[in-house]
Structure formats: C-alpha cells, structure tokens
Amino acid sequence: MIGDQAGTSGGIHGGWTGTVLRVNLSRATIKKESLRQDWAREYVGGRGLGARYLWEESDPNVDPLSPKNKLLFVTGPLTGTNASCGARYMVVTKGALTGAITTSNSGGHWGPELKCAGYDMIIVEGRAPRPTYLWIHNDEVELRDATHLWGKGVWDTEEMIRSESGVPDTIVASIGPAGENLVRFASIMNDLHRAAGRSGVGAVMGSKMLKAIAVRGTGGVKLADARGFMAASWAMKAKLKESAVTAEGLPTYGTEVLVNVINEHGAMPTRNHTETIFEKAEDISGETLTETRLVANKACFACTIACGRVTKLPGEASSKFMVNTNPRNWKIAGEGPEYENAWAMGADCGIGDLDALIKTGWLCNDYGMDPITYGATLAAAMEMYEKEIITNSITGMPLRFGSADALVAMAEKVAFRDGFGDLLAEGSKRLTARFGHPEFFMGVRGQEFPAYDSRAIQGMGLGYATSNRGACHLKSYTVSPEILGIPTKMDPHVTEGKAEITKIFQDITSAVDATGLCLFLTFGVGLEEMLPQLVAATGVSYTMDSLTQAGERIWNLERLWNERAGLGKGSDTLPKRMLEQPIPSGPAKGMVNRLGEMLPEYYRLRGWTADGKVTAAKRKELGLV
C-alpha cells in the first residue's frame, strides 16, 4: 500500500494532477510525490516531462534490462480531457533494442484512466522478486502477485485482471510472452490492441518482472478555464471536420490508406529495401482491407478521427493459418493492421497475403511485440536466406521472400524465443552482425526503418539519421509535405529546404507529444489550434514561441542524454544501401539519399557544433542543465 505520502503540489490550476507515483519493485514500496511544477511548465508533460525526470534520475550508461534502468509512464496535461484525441501516454526509458532514450506512446483509454485516478506519472524502479502487477484504484495503490498471469498473452491477462478485481471498467497496460522473454522489440499493450510499440519498452517492463499496471480512476481532470477550454476544443474539432485526411481518409481507410500512395511514388521499401515498388500493394491496401475484412472503425478516448480497424477473417480465411499456430491463437477477429505493420510484414517481406498480415498482427498484439521490427527483422533474415548465408539447418524452415507461412510461424517462435526465433528476437542489427553481414540491417541506432524509403523521400533520410530514438517516422514526418503536400508541397527528390523542415517538424512533434494529444491531429490542424486548449487547461500563458521552444528543449535534452550514452554524431547516418545503392526502378529510379548535403545545414540550424554536439550556448538558451 502507499507509504510516505508527500501530498500534491499546490499552485497547479488544471491539466496536471500534481502527483507522481514512485514504485520501487525491489523494496516493494509505493510513494506519492509532488510533481515538479517548474519542470511541468518547461517540458509540458508526456515525452518532455518524462525525459526531464529520466535525465535527473537515470545513468544513460546502465544496461537497459538491469534494475537500475527506470521505466516511466507519463501523461500530458491534455490527456483525459475533452480535447480531440487527448488519449496519449508516453513510456520513457532506455530502449532495450537501441540503448538510446526512447519515448514510445500509446492511445486507447489507459492514459486518461491514470489521470482520472489522480496521477500524472508513474516512475517504476528496481526489479520485483517474482511476477507482479500494480493495482491502482484512485487512492488505493498496491503491488499484487502476478505469478498466475506470467506466460499469458495480453488478451487473457486483461480479462483475468478485470475479472479478479471485480472493478468494472478497469483498464490494463501489460506485457505478453515477448516482454517476459526479453524480446528486444517487445511492446507494452493496453486496450488489447493499443501499443507503446517501439524500441523494446516491453522488454524493460519484463526485466522488472512487472506484468501489468491496472488502473481505475473515477475522478476527472481539472481545467483552469473550463469555459475557455470548451470553446477552444470545439473550434479545433470544427477544423478537423474540414480536413480531407482527418475527416475522410483516415476514418474511411485507416492509416492503410497510404499503401497505394507511397507505392505510386516509388517509395515503398520492398524485400528488405532492395526495391521500392511492391507489385502486390493493391492486395494489402487500405481499400482492399476496407472492402473485404473491415468490421468497424474504432476510436481511442475522445478521438474524433477513429482510424482504428476492427477486422475479421471470414469463412475459409479464418482457418488458413491454424496449422501453424497454437490453438490459443485460433481467434478470427481482432484489430489492424495499420500501415506500418502491413508494410513491414507485407512488402518488406515480399508477402501480399492480406490474411497473413492480419493474423500475424493479432499475434503480435497478443504476444506484445512490435510488428515493425518483427517484420523488418524477418525481411533481413529472408535476404540472408535467399543469399544462402543462412540455411534450413539454422532457420528450421524455408525463409524465402513471399512466404506467408514463415511470417505466421516465426511470430510465435520469436515471442517464446524458440529455435531460430531466439535469434530474430534480438532484432535485425544483432541478427545480421551475428552472421557477419551487418550491411543487411536497415535502420539507425539499432532500430529498423519504418515504411518510407529515404532514397525516394530525401527529408525522411535526415529525419531517420537524427532521430533520438533510432529510425522513426513519428518524430519528423516529412512525408506530410514531401508526399501529401501538407501544409505545403515539397519535392521529395531534392535536398533543398529539408534540413529546415526536419528541424521544424522535430520540434513541433516534440511539443505535441508533450501535450497528451495524438500526432495524427497535425494532418488537420496546427500547433496554433492546440495551443488555446493547453493554455485554458493549465492556466499557463504558453505562446506559440514558448511552446515551440519547449519542443526544441525536449529534442536537445534527448540528444544530450544520448551523448552521455555514447550515441553522438557517428550514429547520425544511414546504411550504405541508402547512401550508395541507387533505386533500381520506378519514379525514383537511380536515386540515393544525399544525407551529406543536408546534415551540416541541419547541425547549423540546430545551433550545434560542426560535429553535431549541443553547444553550451544552446544549452543556456534553452535553460538546459
């Protein structure tokens, strides 16, 4: 039970609750602490506030799977409010996959529930002596035995905790077998299908023997200016209705709407990035998914977009892969896939079987692992198999590009580290290095690329190379201007202007991630539409300049953390395939990524040294320690 209660902060008028839960699993202690209000104002919340606490409390050189690594669950001041898409929480820690600071976020209802229980953040320390879960019901907070849950999938875990608690509407964030078995790309799942998916945050949770955090909160989120907040909220919702993306594209087809768009631009990485056009793109597209497998849309808390896909495998499709999976996985309905997942398990592996992607996506959700890294790692293994670097005696089955059977079967082997799955569970950087061919790893800082080839979209290459958590599309989505023309159209094949737009997108994204809002809002509105809600909720007089600077502060702090961890300029690069091997065909034929033209200008715009270090002057300007 809770001990040593310090009470909540005075002076907070709304948005934040003012209370942090500190849970030490080694000592089995739980404390309430006051939120650092100065840090809350400077770093806002979510990703920023988590990074500030991690900077203060954690050694960047610790083993990410050791008890000394800390695991933070952080909401934003707009999480749990009526703001459209105010559902996000961030998991901040040292990533098991990358060794870099990671900020992996999820939607659903878990973050709002934590806020309604009265907490801005949970800081998890140490390692429990046995499987444990954290129970939170408003002021009632305790550690409970999870021995009976260890080995269970995410879906059974959520159901069992809700059943044994007897408290209706309990929301559970948990790990599956992948997290328990320290798969380096294990995720933390909530609401069955919502994931803090990337960089191995689930493995960190598993290393702490923490199976789940179950939350029920019956309070609300206080607002400093409720009337002003509601006016700002309705104004933003009206703007979202006018956007072709947030009002039509995403609700109708989900993120899978991008499959045909990206493929037509010759930017769809295919067969471990050896090609950029997938001949079966139409078969795995959002249009096909909607016409043949979609049951309904699904929205997160307070979401007005509803891009989630509830899917079902009908008739003969329901039993296509039963022979390859354990009976516990003979389910015929679930959610997804999203675009990135469908790409990684589809085009990147040369697989055009939509049912296989749907089925494997469900397996990844239940086992609790990141489908992007899983698919990309399997793609790297498939290329090594095609080149006869690895054979059946190692893999246990043929791993040819296009094999849907291999995709489904290996998912289970990875989650349980069975056979060749034990090697895949380490991610593609470690896998390819093990067999002496690191050139087949397609990623940055140990994390695999998402679904955009940076030779065809130059800005994405710079974004990948400088992303603090490793290759990532969510920290600087220049696909928006380079492909979609939002907010203005830029030529994806040129490097001019890409350093500036990448910096702007990184800073704005950091600010959005700190508020508790979903990044997808930025397809329809800008930071200027989000700002009035933040001011009204918190009572803090943020301006566009101060909020954008908060984003820049967050980005630089993460950079400093990585510098301490030994991840400096040398890691700001791309694989040789991106830099030296031209695209073989399609609209971007002959192109490579010209990172060398963009990186020096990017460092200059950042105010860093020529070799990419944060300067003392920049630290002083941003008020960084």
Side-chain angles (χ1 to χ4, degrees):
M1 299 295 289
I2 295 177
D4 192 21
Q5 296 192 15
T8 58
S9 301
I12 283 180
H13 303 294
W16 304 285
T17 69
T19 304
V20 174
L21 268 182
R22 186 177 297 276
V23 180
N24 189 297
L25 295 169
S26 299
R27 300 171 187 160
T29 59
I30 302 169
K31 296 179 181 178
K32 274 187 177 180
E33 298 177 357
S34 297
L35 180 71
R36 284 285 302 261
Q37 294 181 48
D38 51 343
W39 292 355
R41 289 190 177 90
E42 292 175 0
Y43 295 87
V44 185
R47 174 180 167 188
L49 197 56
R52 184 63 184 87
Y53 271 84
L54 194 72
W55 171 268
E56 191 73 17
E57 298 190 5
S58 180
D59 178 359
N61 294 298
V62 298
D63 181 334
L65 299 180
S66 78
K68 291 184 178 179
N69 193 17
K70 297 197 179 188
L71 184 66
L72 284 64
F73 297 77
V74 197
T75 63
L78 296 181
T79 305
T81 69
N82 191 44
S84 183
C85 304
R88 312 306 288 191
Y89 72 94
M90 288 275 173
V91 180
V92 182
T93 188
K94 181 172 184 175
L97 182 68
T98 61
I101 189 170
T102 191
T103 52
S104 192
N105 81 86
S106 180
H109 293 73
W110 191 88
E113 203 70 23
L114 184 66
K115 283 288 288 290
C116 289
Y119 308 101
D120 293 307
M121 183 190 316
I122 304 171
I123 301 175
V124 180
E125 306 170 332
R127 173 183 291 159
R130 65 187 64 83
T132 299
Y133 78 89
L134 180 65
W135 168 255
I136 302 172
H137 185 191
N138 298 325
D139 285 337
E140 178 191 357
V141 185
E142 61 185 37
L143 293 169
R144 294 181 173 179
D145 180 59
T147 304
H148 61 301
L149 302 172
W150 207 251
K152 300 292 184 184
V154 165
W155 301 353
D156 286 343
T157 297
E158 290 197 19
E159 183 178 338
M160 290 173 71
I161 289 178
R162 264 192 292 274
S163 176
E164 68 188 33
S165 74
V167 178
D169 299 324
T170 296
I171 308 297
V172 180
S174 68
I175 58 171
E180 297 172 9
N181 294 314
L182 307 183
V183 173
R184 287 191 180 271
F185 46 90
S187 54
I188 297 172
M189 308 295 300
N190 59 275
D191 299 84
L192 301 179
H193 302 280
R194 293 290 170 267
R198 301 223 72 186
S199 309
V201 296
V204 176
M205 190 163 167
S207 75
K208 296 184 177 303
M209 302 292 281
L210 182 62
K211 178 67 177 178
I213 302 178
V215 185
R216 179 69 178 111
T218 57
V221 180
K222 292 181 180 178
L223 303 171
D225 174 10
R227 191 179 297 275
F229 177 85
M230 290 306 297
S233 175
W234 283 115
M236 189 175 83
K237 289 173 182 174
K239 192 103 185 247
L240 290 169
K241 283 184 179 179
E242 299 171 358
S243 164
V245 178
T246 56
E248 297 177 16
L250 286 173
T252 304
Y253 298 114
T255 55
E256 274 264 88
V257 70
L258 286 167
V259 170
N260 284 328
V261 174
I262 300 301
N263 200 52
E264 288 167 3
H265 280 79
M268 173 81 74
T270 301
R271 298 180 186 85
N272 202 33
H273 294 252
T274 56
E275 305 163 66
T276 60
I277 295 177
F278 185 42
E279 69 279 5
K280 297 181 180 179
E282 184 64 39
D283 296 343
I284 64 170
S285 69
E287 290 84 345
T288 301
L289 181 77
T290 300
E291 291 170 5
T292 65
R293 298 293 184 260
L294 181 68
V295 175
N297 292 19
K298 189 172 181 180
C300 297
F301 176 90
C303 178
T304 54
I305 299 174
C307 68
R309 310 280 91 182
V310 178
T311 47
K312 185 176 182 179
L313 294 178
E316 292 183 358
S318 65
S319 58
K320 278 171 69 175
F321 302 104
M322 284 186 177
V323 68
N324 287 332
T325 57
N326 189 292
R328 64 174 170 270
N329 297 317
W330 290 357
K331 299 179 177 69
I332 61 171
E335 289 187 33
E338 305 304 322
Y339 169 62
E340 306 292 337
N341 306 347
W343 159 77
M345 299 185 294
D348 206 32
C349 293
I351 296 171
D353 186 330
L354 180 60
D355 293 334
L357 310 190
I358 292 172
K359 182 66 181 179
T360 310
W362 297 348
L363 292 177
C364 287
N365 288 348
D366 194 27
Y367 291 145
M369 61 186 190
D370 173 19
I372 300 177
T373 285
Y374 167 60
T377 301
L378 185 62
M382 285 176 164
E383 184 170 6
M384 289 196 295
Y385 186 91
E386 297 279 5
K387 289 179 163 54
E388 299 182 350
I389 296 166
I390 55 177
T391 62
N392 285 348
S393 63
I394 296 172
T395 63
M397 67 180 300
L399 288 187
R400 298 207 174 278
F401 281 125
S403 174
D405 287 339
L407 176 74
V408 177
M410 280 296 167
E412 189 165 80
K413 290 182 178 296
V414 169
F416 291 93
R417 285 187 174 272
D418 177 24
F420 188 62
D422 186 43
L423 302 183
L424 292 173
E426 292 293 298
S428 59
K429 181 177 182 180
R430 291 175 174 84
L431 174 75
T432 55
R434 181 186 179 94
F435 291 100
H437 288 276
E439 70 272 19
F440 297 136
F441 163 62
M442 294 294 116
V444 173
R445 293 188 178 86
Q447 181 158 282
E448 294 75 10
F449 289 130
Y452 314 91
D453 195 290
S454 62
R455 292 167 292 187
I457 311 174
Q458 293 290 315
M460 287 304 289
L462 180 60
Y464 291 153
T466 57
S467 172
N468 290 322
R469 76 165 182 175
C472 176
H473 58 296
L474 294 174
K475 305 307 181 191
S476 176
Y477 195 68
T478 62
V479 170
S480 192
E482 293 187 278
I483 299 295
L484 304 178
I486 301 173
T488 57
K489 186 73 175 76
M490 300 180 77
D491 186 341
H493 295 175
V494 306
T495 59
E496 289 77 13
K498 300 304 170 60
E500 182 180 11
I501 196 68
T502 297
K503 178 187 179 296
I504 291 172
F505 270 50
Q506 289 173 342
D507 292 346
I508 289 177
T509 298
S510 299
V512 174
D513 282 347
T515 64
L517 298 178
C518 176
L519 191 60
F520 284 4
L521 288 172
T522 58
F523 288 119
V525 298
L527 205 58
E528 59 272 21
E529 279 85 14
M530 303 177 199
L531 177 65
Q533 295 172 102
L534 183 64
V535 172
T538 63
V540 177
S541 301
Y542 289 110
T543 64
M544 279 297 292
D545 286 344
S546 66
L547 186 55
T548 304
Q549 188 181 55
E552 184 180 12
R553 183 178 297 116
I554 294 164
W555 190 268
N556 277 267
L557 184 66
E558 292 174 347
R559 178 82 176 188
L560 286 167
W561 199 96
N562 279 347
E563 285 182 8
R564 280 190 178 181
L567 300 169
K569 181 192 176 186
S571 56
D572 291 345
T573 189
L574 299 170
K576 283 190 176 180
R577 180 167 289 172
M578 296 296 107
L579 298 172
E580 299 177 3
Q581 185 174 318
I583 289 176
S585 62
K589 181 180 179 180
M591 296 198 66
V592 297
N593 187 273
R594 303 195 297 280
L595 179 65
E597 298 175 14
M598 299 181 281
L599 199 55
E601 184 184 1
Y602 172 82
Y603 287 159
R604 183 183 63 76
L605 292 170
R606 278 270 174 225
W608 297 347
T609 65
D611 60 352
K613 290 184 178 178
V614 181
T615 63
K618 178 56 68 175
R619 291 173 63 152
K620 183 178 180 181
E621 175 190 330
L622 298 174
L624 292 167
V625 288

